[in-house]
Each structure stands twice: as structure tokens, then as C-alpha cells.
């Protein structure tokens, strides 16, 4: 009594559900692409120029790590540490399908260790595991140094012969056996094993070198080959003649009738080193005195039946000269060519 009375209002009734009419579905939330992780990592080991055994796969995810299947991002792979190398794929960029970008044919040309980075605009990029890319099969053997050398016969060449082995992408290839082979017979050389053939193994830089090469005693220019399987290259080398030590008559012995003029020949006299190699005459040429021990009258000339001479000249730069001979007395005269060097002799036959 005396307290105010509360007025109680009747409650608003909940409208009943109408049978057969479903409630409207909740509106789904659209996930927003946020990052690009690698769902399949590239191969940890690879060969230069060859496709990775395991090709990378990149997914498009939201901030919570859920796959965004509606995303069609254009994902690009790049080398994180290029160092002059090139990454090639069948398609780069690659469009994501149901939020997944699958790459194919990806390969790195240069040997080294690399990582891949996946990017697409503002999405958070991802970096792959390290890829150790090694050189491929040997593809080229190239001469590096020691070519176009010359050495005096019997002496050592100044520099070793050096080649480089590389794969198809110019990467040095290690551990390849190279065989160096000098020609036989003729002008050639021998290695420290005293044979015309030696072997060497390419190092980490793809380089292989011979030991000392010694010119043999035959003067001349020749090709020395180097090979590794079907691959090969060539050095051009020259054995130079030694110092001139003698004259030598290099034509066959003469046979002919007695005559008062130089009617037989020609006879070639050559300037040679101690191994019999022709030696070019120095500046000013080399004088060769001519003599015979004939009991009759001996005649020498520079041309057939020409004017009698007592000597001939081997011109500068030439190694030989020719002369003609005549004799009035039948027999076996010995003719001599001489000068500052050791003389040479030859017995001729003069018939009646």
C-alpha cells in the first residue's frame, strides 16, 4: 500500500515460421590474397641448362595461410642471387589456377648456388630453398695458352700447353681427362714422360695443362692435338733449326762424260744445323767455296755450261744454292764445298 504500481505491457509475439520457406543463407566472406609461399620447393640440386627435376609450385594464400582459390595472380619467378646467371621457364609469369601457380621447364644456365623469389604485385613475396647448380657435360675444349710457340730443335718450349673444358653454357667442367698427342714421325715434341703423348685432368676452373714439352730434332711446323672423348682442339707449334754447323750436298752423285765446261748438275749445297735441318743464311748470305781434286781441269758454274766461278752464295734467308760441274779427266773426283763452317764432300763419276 502506498507504492506505485508498475504497468506491465504485453510482450510482442515472435512471428511464426512459415512452413516450406527456408531462411536466407548467410553471405560468405571473401578471402583477400596476401602472400605467395612455395608449396613445392625447387630441386636442391640441379645441372646447368637442364630443367629442375622438381619444378616449383607457388600458392596464393590469405593472411591466415588459407588457399585463395578465386585468385588468378600472375606469379613471376626471379633469381634472388643472379650473379650473371639466367633463369628460364616455359612460362614466366605463370597465372594461378584456383590459387595455384605451377611452373614447368625452369632451368638455370650458370653453375653456382641460387634461390628463387616468387612475386606478384603487392603480395608478400617468397624465397625458395637454395639450389646448387653444377656444370653440365663437357661440350667444348678451348686452347687457352701455349699455342703458336716455337723452340729450337732439342730444346724445351717456354710455356706449357693449357686448355679449358666447358659445358654448353660456358661453365668450367672439373675432372675431365685430356689427352695431348704430338705427331709422329717428323717435326714433333716429347713430354716429360719421354713420349709424344701425355694426359692431364681439368681443375675447378676447367683448366688442364701439360708439363714441359721438348722439341725433337726435326725442324718444322706441326699440329699437336688435345682431346677428351669426341671433343678436340689443336696447338700449332714450330721446331726452329739450330745454329748452322755445316754445308751438305743434298743431291745425288753426278755421272757424266768428261767435258771442258760445267755440263753436269745441278748440285745443291745446303746450310744445316748439327741435326741436318736446313738453316736460313744470315744477312749478307753465306759464301760457299767450290773445289775439286780432279787430275784434270775442273769447272764450276752457277748455270749450265756457264761462266766458271770459284764460289757461290747462299742468299740471306735461303738455306741452299745450286751449281754445275764439269771435268776434263775421267775418274772419280771429289768435290768440296766449304766456308767458315765444316766442309762437305761428294765423289762424282767422270766417264771417258
Amino acid at each position: 500500500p502506498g507504492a506505485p504500481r508498475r504497468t506491465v505491457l504485453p510482450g510482442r509475439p515472435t512471428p511464426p515460421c512459415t512452413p516450406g520457406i527456408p531462411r536466407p543463407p548467410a553471405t560468405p566472406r571473401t578471402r583477400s590474397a596476401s602472400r605467395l609461399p612455395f608449396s613445392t620447393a625447387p630441386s636442391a640440386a640441379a645441372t646447368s641448362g637442364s630443367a629442375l627435376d622438381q619444378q616449383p609450385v607457388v600458392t596464393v594464400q590469405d593472411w591466415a595461410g588459407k588457399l585463395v582459390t578465386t585468385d588468378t595472380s600472375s606469379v613471376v619467378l626471379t633469381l634472388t642471387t643472379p650473379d650473371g646467371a639466367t633463369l628460364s621457364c616455359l612460362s614466366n609469369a605463370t597465372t594461378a589456377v584456383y590459387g595455384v601457380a605451377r611452373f614447368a621447364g625452369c632451368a638455370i644456365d650458370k653453375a653456382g648456388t641460387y634461390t628463387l623469389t616468387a612475386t606478384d604485385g603487392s603480395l608478400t613475396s617468397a624465397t625458395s630453398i637454395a639450389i646448387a647448380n653444377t656444370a653440365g657435360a663437357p661440350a667444348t675444349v678451348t686452347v687457352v695458352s701455349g699455342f703458336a710457340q716455337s723452340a729450337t730443335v732439342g730444346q724445351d718450349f717456354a710455356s706449357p700447353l693449357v686448355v679449358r673444358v666447358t659445358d654448353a653454357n660456358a661453365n668450367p667442367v672439373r675432372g675431365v681427362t685430356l689427352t695431348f698427342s704430338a705427331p709422329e714421325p717428323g717435326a714433333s715434341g716429347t713430354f716429360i714422360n719421354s713420349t709424344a703423348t701425355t694426359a692431364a685432368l681439368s681443375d675447378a676452373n676447367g683448366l688442364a695443362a701439360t708439363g714441359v714439352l721438348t722439341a725433337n730434332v726435326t725442324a718444322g711446323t706441326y699440329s699437336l692435338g688435345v682431346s677428351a672423348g669426341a671433343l678436340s682442339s689443336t696447338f700449332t707449334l714450330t721446331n726452329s733449326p739450330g745454329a748452322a754447323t755445316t754445308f751438305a750436298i743434298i743431291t745425288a752423285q753426278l755421272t757424266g762424260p768428261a767435258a771442258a765446261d760445267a755440263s753436269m748438275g745441278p748440285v745443291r749445297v745446303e746450310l744445316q744445323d748439327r741435326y741436318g735441318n736446313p738453316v736460313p743464311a744470315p744477312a749478307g748470305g753465306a759464301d760457299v767455296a767450290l773445289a775439286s781434286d780432279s787430275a784434270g781441269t775442273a769447272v764450276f758454274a752457277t748455270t749450265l755450261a756457264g761462266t766458271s766461278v770459284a764460289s757461290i752464295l747462299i742468299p740471306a734467308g735461303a738455306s741452299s744454292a745450286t751449281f754445275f760441274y764439269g771435268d776434263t779427266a775421267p775418274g772419280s773426283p771429289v768435290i768440296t764445298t766449304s766456308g767458315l763452317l765444316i766442309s762437305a764432300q761428294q765423289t762424282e763419276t767422270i766417264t771417258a
Side-chain angles (χ1 to χ4, degrees), residues 136-234:
T140 305
V141 174
T142 306
V143 172
V144 175
S145 62
F147 55 92
Q149 289 188 87
S150 63
T152 301
V153 287
Q155 302 298 312
D156 296 340
F157 284 87
S159 302
L161 312 183
V162 182
V163 296
R164 187 189 302 275
V165 185
T166 54
D167 66 9
N169 290 295
N171 295 299
V173 183
R174 182 176 190 168
V176 178
T177 299
L178 282 302
T179 301
F180 296 79
S181 302
E184 294 181 291
S188 185
T190 56
F191 298 98
I192 54 176
N193 57 5
S194 299
T195 70
T197 302
T198 191
L201 203 63
S202 61
D203 62 15
N205 296 313
L207 298 175
T210 65
V212 175
L213 175 67
T214 303
N216 69 1
V217 297
T218 303
T221 297
Y222 55 97
S223 295
L224 188 150
V226 55
S227 62
L231 306 176
S232 63
S233 193
T234 302

Side-chain angles (χ1 to χ4, degrees), residues 3-351:
R5 177 178 292 180
R6 288 185 301 176
T7 302
V8 178
L9 298 176
R12 185 177 295 173
T14 300
C17 291
T18 305
I21 301 178
R23 291 182 179 178
T27 302
R29 292 182 179 178
T30 301
R31 296 199 200 113
S32 177
S34 175
R35 58 181 187 159
L36 293 171
F38 283 87
S39 60
T40 299
S43 304
T47 301
S48 168
S50 298
L52 302 173
D53 289 337
Q54 183 166 285
Q55 293 290 311
V57 178
V58 178
T59 55
V60 183
Q61 296 181 358
D62 64 11
W63 65 271
K66 300 293 185 180
L67 181 67
V68 182
T69 59
T70 58
D71 191 272
T72 56
S73 291
S74 182
V75 181
V76 176
L77 289 181
T78 56
L79 288 174
T80 314
T81 50
D83 194 26
T86 300
L87 171 70
S88 58
C89 301
L90 294 180
S91 179
N92 191 15
T94 294
T95 301
V97 178
Y98 296 111
V100 179
R102 301 179 185 277
F103 288 83
C106 293
I108 303 171
D109 61 346
K110 299 298 182 184
T113 301
Y114 306 93
T115 56
L116 305 180
T117 298
T119 58
D120 177 21
S122 61
L123 300 185
T124 300
S125 62
T127 299
S128 74
I129 63 171
I131 303 169
N133 202 40
T134 57
T140 305
V141 174
T142 306
V143 172
V144 175
S145 62
F147 55 92
Q149 289 188 87
S150 63
T152 301
V153 287
Q155 302 298 312
D156 296 340
F157 284 87
S159 302
L161 312 183
V162 182
V163 296
R164 187 189 302 275
V165 185
T166 54
D167 66 9
N169 290 295
N171 295 299
V173 183
R174 182 176 190 168
V176 178
T177 299
L178 282 302
T179 301
F180 296 79
S181 302
E184 294 181 291
S188 185
T190 56
F191 298 98
I192 54 176
N193 57 5
S194 299
T195 70
T197 302
T198 191
L201 203 63
S202 61
D203 62 15
N205 296 313
L207 298 175
T210 65
V212 175
L213 175 67
T214 303
N216 69 1
V217 297
T218 303
T221 297
Y222 55 97
S223 295
L224 188 150
V226 55
S227 62
L231 306 176
S232 63
S233 193
T234 302
F235 292 84
T236 299
L237 303 171
T238 299
N239 294 354
S240 302
T245 60
T246 188
F247 291 121
I249 297 174
I250 60 174
T251 47
Q253 293 181 339
L254 299 174
T255 298
D261 60 7
S263 57
M264 293 187 298
V267 179
R268 182 172 293 275
V269 59
E270 186 173 72
L271 193 59
Q272 295 183 350
D273 67 11
R274 64 182 179 134
Y275 299 113
N277 296 298
V279 179
D287 283 310
V288 184
L290 305 173
S292 172
D293 68 351
S294 172
T297 302
V299 180
F300 296 93
T302 56
T303 59
L304 184 64
T307 303
S308 178
V309 296
S311 66
I312 60 172
L313 179 72
I314 298 178
S319 59
S320 66
T322 59
F323 61 90
F324 294 82
Y325 178 66
D327 201 326
T328 60
S332 300
V334 176
I335 62 173
T336 302
T337 59
S338 60
L340 296 177
L341 306 171
I342 299 173
S343 60
Q345 296 181 326
Q346 187 178 72
T347 299
E348 319 299 356
T349 299
I350 308 299
T351 59

